[in-house]
Amino acid sequence: MRLVRSFSSLILIGAALFVVRPGHSAPVTQDHLLSGAASPKDAYLEASASGARYELRGGAVVELSPGTTFAFEPSIRLKLRKPGDPDTIARSVRVVSGRAEVQIPDRVKDQTAVLLRGPGKLSAVAKEGTAAFATDGDRTTAASRVGEMLVGLGNEWKPLKAGFARTLAPEDPAAQPRPIPAAPQVTPDHRLVVISPEEPGHFTATWSAVKDAATYETSLAREGGGAPVQVGTTSEPRTAFAGLPAGAYGVSVRAVDRYGLASSASAPVTVQILGLDVPDGATVAPDGAIELGREQRVGLVGAKGLEVSYGSSSVFVSAPATLGLAHGAATLVRLRAAGTTEETALRLEPKGLRATVAIGPKIARWPADRVVVDVDLYDTNGRPVPESTKVLPSVTVNLEKVDVSWTRKGTTLHAMLPAGASPGPWVVRAEVTDERGELLGRDFLEVAPASAREGATASR
């Protein structure tokens, strides 16, 4: 128990007693990993790229930043309260390099504490609220975010008020108290981002520059808890998040000073990534409008917590799971995240794709004449029709389907029909539908049999 013997057995701090009892150490407890991971490294553990978060016996929570090297050591009993009160069991954590964040639950019974120590002479006891402890070898920092903590420099222990930190460094051997960096104020460029199924979401977050900040740590996590999905470090007061599927995300930023001490996380800011599930056969126009068939609906993916309004209405309600045309007409849908005023407009329009179908010549006789079918695609909304637009043309002769060879150039289709094999007259019908079977255009032509003389001429 070299750790215990390094302290005086009785230290007077203000009006309180702080007693370390070498002969009464508590057993090492089994700690519960809440999130992240840690793997052995030499005689210690190393937090994974997503960090490691533990709940210790007694309820204290210790969060190790990514790459932190640490170890859990035997618990000890401390006299942190007035004489006659029970001792406080302190879980001991050694931080070799990196940063630990500690949160002590507010309890009346079974009070817990966390003893933090680094490779140097500076140690700390987090006995209430939240605290931080960081070291990079020749610099060790202890900080009290909420509530008072105790900081020891060798055998000299002093209380440290909330909002202050002490750093033992070559340039500051007395580890004078100083304010903790302030938490940034984060503002995303959009609170609601709408994406199509083919593209992931992205947005940029900016924040006010923080005095004494050397870098900033950024974190993006799914709303509802869990490990961050993206973390990063930047020296600029901005960062971009990309490759995001639909859902709600919480953005947080910490300012980090030159000693490695991070501020409290910024106030939570939520960004919603809304996915659009566009049904088969519907199209997204170059100007962003979604063209739907009369019965089609657009699915909203990740819409929980969103509000919707229609047209110029000022009334917003919870967003439904799908959206469609109102009475088959063009519909303006306005979306926003709950509790915000920033709106994103979504225009739904009736599908404008149509086809002009022409069968000719208008007076035709088989087999003397060649009968052709021409199809021109157009959009009733005045938009250009992409050449990739899929349509399904079909031809029947006397209600019997005829296989013909179609050629296509841009939005024009052309086919030549073979003469009818059955006795005439014949009725030729041509129809064009979209992928959903919606009729885009049709035409028909009555073809008479050629006279014997016309038939002989056609055969030559």
Side-chain angles (χ1 to χ4, degrees):
M1 295 295 295
R2 294 190 302 272
L3 169 62
V4 172
R5 294 193 183 110
S6 67
F7 296 100
S8 299
S9 61
L10 179 61
I11 302 169
L12 184 64
I13 301 178
L17 290 175
F18 174 37
V19 178
V20 180
R21 300 188 176 181
H24 299 278
S25 62
V28 176
T29 59
Q30 182 65 38
D31 303 307
H32 176 53
L33 181 65
L34 298 176
S35 62
S39 57
K41 181 181 181 182
D42 299 327
Y44 303 100
L45 294 172
E46 183 177 65
S48 68
S50 60
R53 191 166 183 261
Y54 290 87
E55 181 179 8
L56 311 183
R57 184 175 181 180
V61 174
V62 177
E63 184 170 353
L64 293 311
S65 296
T68 296
T69 304
F70 66 100
F72 293 118
E73 297 182 328
S75 301
I76 63 174
R77 295 181 183 276
L78 303 177
K79 179 67 71 174
L80 297 179
R81 293 180 284 180
K82 62 185 179 180
D85 286 345
D87 294 346
T88 299
I89 295 178
R91 193 71 171 91
S92 181
V93 181
R94 177 189 285 270
V95 181
V96 180
S97 65
R99 188 174 75 237
E101 299 282 340
V102 178
Q103 183 174 2
I104 306 297
D106 184 14
R107 295 183 178 180
V108 177
K109 296 182 179 180
D110 300 326
Q111 184 178 4
T112 185
V114 177
L115 172 64
L116 300 152
R117 63 176 185 140
K121 296 189 298 180
L122 189 139
S123 302
V125 174
K127 61 176 185 175
E128 62 183 16
T130 58
F133 193 84
T135 181
D136 64 358
D138 61 348
R139 291 173 172 81
T140 301
T141 298
S144 177
R145 300 193 188 282
V146 178
E148 186 180 84
M149 72 185 305
L150 302 172
V151 177
L153 188 57
N155 289 329
E156 182 185 4
W157 286 81
K158 293 182 178 180
L160 183 65
K161 294 181 179 180
F164 285 84
R166 293 179 64 183
T167 296
L168 177 62
E171 63 273 22
D172 188 8
Q176 295 295 330
R178 72 181 194 284
I180 296 175
Q185 296 180 344
V186 180
T187 304
D189 56 353
H190 297 290
R191 295 293 297 271
L192 174 62
V193 179
V194 180
I195 60 173
S196 67
E198 294 79 20
E199 63 171 341
H202 59 88
F203 68 93
T204 298
T206 59
W207 53 88
S208 54
V210 175
K211 181 182 178 182
D212 297 329
T215 60
Y216 300 92
E217 294 178 350
T218 62
S219 176
L220 184 74
R222 287 270 193 176
E223 286 288 295
V229 295
Q230 291 186 21
V231 295
T233 301
T234 177
S235 59
E236 298 295 327
R238 67 184 64 85
T239 194
F241 297 100
L244 304 175
Y249 297 86
V251 183
S252 64
V253 179
R254 294 176 183 266
V256 183
D257 67 15
R258 63 192 179 107
Y259 298 110
L261 175 62
S263 69
S264 298
S266 59
V269 177
T270 300
V271 174
Q272 194 97 4
I273 306 294
L274 176 66
L276 300 182
D277 186 8
V278 179
D280 292 339
T283 57
V284 180
D287 61 2
I290 301 177
E291 296 180 304
L292 300 171
R294 180 173 290 272
E295 302 299 327
Q296 286 186 308
R297 299 186 69 82
V298 178
L300 302 183
V301 183
K304 184 178 180 180
L306 292 185
E307 297 177 336
V308 63
S309 186
Y310 300 90
S312 59
S313 173
S314 60
V315 178
F316 280 82
V317 297
S318 296
T322 62
L323 297 171
L325 299 170
H327 309 293
T331 305
L332 176 65
V333 181
R334 292 158 41 227
L335 296 157
R336 71 182 186 187
T340 68
T341 57
E342 176 190 335
E343 296 181 10
T344 297
L346 190 65
R347 288 185 295 116
L348 308 180
E349 295 186 0
K351 198 167 185 180
L353 182 63
R354 293 293 181 266
T356 299
V357 183
I359 307 175
K362 290 303 180 183
I363 300 177
R365 298 175 182 274
W366 268 340
D369 297 321
R370 294 180 176 180
V371 175
V372 298
V373 181
D374 290 303
V375 176
D376 289 314
L377 302 176
Y378 67 98
D379 193 303
T380 59
N381 297 320
R383 297 188 179 93
V385 178
E387 294 187 9
S388 59
T389 301
K390 294 182 180 180
V391 294
L392 302 174
S394 63
V395 175
T396 61
V397 175
N398 290 347
L399 301 181
E400 295 290 331
K401 186 175 181 179
V402 178
D403 292 328
V404 297
S405 178
W406 293 92
T407 60
R408 179 169 177 170
K409 184 177 181 180
T411 57
T412 300
L413 291 82
H414 177 81
M416 182 179 295
L417 276 62
S422 61
W426 302 270
V427 177
V428 179
R429 289 182 173 85
E431 292 185 348
V432 179
T433 62
D434 64 12
E435 294 177 288
R436 297 180 61 250
E438 184 174 332
L439 182 65
L440 303 180
R442 60 163 48 134
D443 192 19
F444 75 95
L445 177 68
E446 295 181 355
V447 181
S451 63
R453 181 176 179 182
E454 291 172 322
T457 302
S459 64
R460 291 199 299 268

